[in-house]
Amino acid sequence: CHHWRMAAPAGFHVMVAEDEGFKSMRGYVSVQGREFGVRVVYKGDGGGRERSLKGAVLYCDKGLSKLVEAHGNLVKQRFLQSPNLNSFLLELRDILDHALTLQKKKNNNNSALEISPSRQNILRKLVEQISQVGWGRIESIDPSLSNLKATLKDSNARIHTVRLSLPPNWPSSPPVALLDVPISQGKSPEDTKGGTIGEILERCKTRIDEYHDFWLAVEDFEKSTCVLEPTSKSRSSTRFRIVVKRHCSIQLDLEPLRPFALCEIRFMGSEAITGPLLVKLNSNISKWSERLLPRENLETILELKFPSGKEDNAMDFDMECGICYAYHLEQEDQKAVKEAESRAPDRVCENSKCGRPFHKSCLIEWLRAIPNTQLSFHTLFGKCPYCQSTISVDIN
């Protein structure tokens, strides 16, 4: 009995001659822990692992035939083109390894798609309720059927996203709807009153329309000013920081349900720049009109026109920190900043010819590295990195 065994990363194969002339070879191929029977019969005289396969016939067991059914043409092609039996078996192992990997992925996917009777009931009810509101309003559904996103149009055709979280025992327990709206007067952005998905979305639309004027004010800021904060569009943001002029910005806190009313205003910049603006604000504050947009009121009261984000670039106004050269702190630095402190530069040099802004944490680190910096009552006193004017920062 003559045989040989070859090993390779994809497995190994063992072939045994069934006759002394090596005209018939029988054995198996082992791949991923599975064995598949193979038999090769040569035509003419002689056979063996080094002989050409021209005219030879390949026989496979049922397991191998079924596995490579989708790759039949490839197996046939390799069998006819391989210079000898050993080369063919090496290629066959690669084909089987690939086929087994695909089979495992398919089986895993099928297992993931199996749904228990209780989940089938939830899926049926979910499909019924979604069909009532329209599939076009559903943006996505989580594979676990526990979360879905729906879109709503408000009275001005703006698109809003509502996130619905379904508890495991839904619909016995009500879902939670989360809206991207500002929090105001104790109102939560969540809807937990229950009902069908259609009823929940109708309540959400009514809630969203309450902020119609707020959306108008926000869109006006985005269109007509250079907005520094928030850096990403969010319909829940009520605080806005916009550019006034070089080294100077203004922070506004809008009341969501009364966005045209006089709001909290804070100037950010050196006193030499913000001082005259504060004088105008105090002198003309009586001119504030709730019939005008907040931006229009501010331009009237401050007797200026805000730079536009479309015409100007925020970088042209040198709003980035003069030490780290970034507007927002990096993520690791943000953890060290107090919750109440802005992540944008909020310390400035009071020299009117300089006025460079700095992050508080950056300025503290800079001043502590300077030998002649003095500390008094939790305040560091030192020199501006740019103009050498006196600058201070509270380290609390």
Side-chain angles (χ1 to χ4, degrees), residues 229-249:
E229 292 180 338
T231 53
S232 58
K233 289 187 178 181
S234 171
R235 297 190 185 277
S236 61
S237 298
T238 59
R239 172 170 292 180
F240 300 88
R241 187 172 179 183
I242 61 178
V243 171
V244 178
K245 58 174 68 176
R246 186 178 176 85
H247 297 322
C248 179
S249 61

Side-chain angles (χ1 to χ4, degrees), residues 1-2 16-25 45-48:
C1 179
H2 302 275
V16 178
E18 295 186 297
D19 56 68
E20 293 183 357
F22 290 88
K23 293 182 179 181
S24 177
M25 305 293 295
D45 297 330

Side-chain angles (χ1 to χ4, degrees), residues 255-270:
E255 169 52 49
L257 296 179
R258 292 188 60 208
F260 290 7
L262 180 61
C263 59
E264 183 179 340
I265 300 171
R266 178 189 176 193
F267 288 101
M268 308 184 94
S270 67

Side-chain angles (χ1 to χ4, degrees), residues 227-383:
V227 179
L228 296 174
E229 292 180 338
T231 53
S232 58
K233 289 187 178 181
S234 171
R235 297 190 185 277
S236 61
S237 298
T238 59
R239 172 170 292 180
F240 300 88
R241 187 172 179 183
I242 61 178
V243 171
V244 178
K245 58 174 68 176
R246 186 178 176 85
H247 297 322
C248 179
S249 61
I250 187 171
Q251 180 176 290
L252 310 170
D253 288 284
L254 300 183
E255 169 52 49
L257 296 179
R258 292 188 60 208
F260 290 7
L262 180 61
C263 59
E264 183 179 340
I265 300 171
R266 178 189 176 193
F267 288 101
M268 308 184 94
S270 67
E271 186 176 351
I273 299 176
T274 62
L277 294 173
L278 282 171
V279 171
K280 289 183 179 180
L281 178 64
N282 293 329
S283 300
N284 299 328
I285 197 67
S286 59
K287 296 181 180 180
W288 189 283
S289 171
E290 294 194 19
R291 294 190 299 271
L292 299 176
L293 291 162
R295 189 262 314 167
E296 294 173 327
N297 274 308
L298 288 169
E299 289 184 338
T300 299
I301 291 173
L302 299 178
E303 301 173 356
L304 52 76
K305 183 173 178 59
F306 291 117
S308 169
K310 294 182 178 180
E311 301 172 358
D312 304 281
N313 190 317
M315 299 301 294
D316 297 334
F317 297 93
D318 292 337
M319 303 305 297
E320 74 277 3
C321 173
I323 295 175
C324 72
Y325 301 107
Y327 180 68
H328 281 281
L329 291 171
E330 296 296 330
Q331 186 65 34
E332 57 268 20
D333 295 328
Q334 291 177 4
K335 297 177 182 178
V337 181
K338 294 181 179 179
E339 290 294 329
E341 183 181 345
S342 171
R343 295 171 182 173
D346 60 347
R347 296 296 185 273
V348 295
C349 175
E350 294 297 336
N351 183 347
S352 59
K353 296 182 179 180
C354 178
R356 291 289 304 196
F358 307 98
H359 293 121
K360 177 180 177 179
S361 56
C362 292
L363 187 57
I364 289 175
E365 185 178 354
W366 173 275
L367 292 178
R368 279 178 170 168
I370 306 300
N372 58 356
T373 297
Q374 298 181 354
L375 173 63
S376 177
F377 297 102
H378 303 290
T379 301
L380 290 173
F381 294 88
K383 300 295 183 181

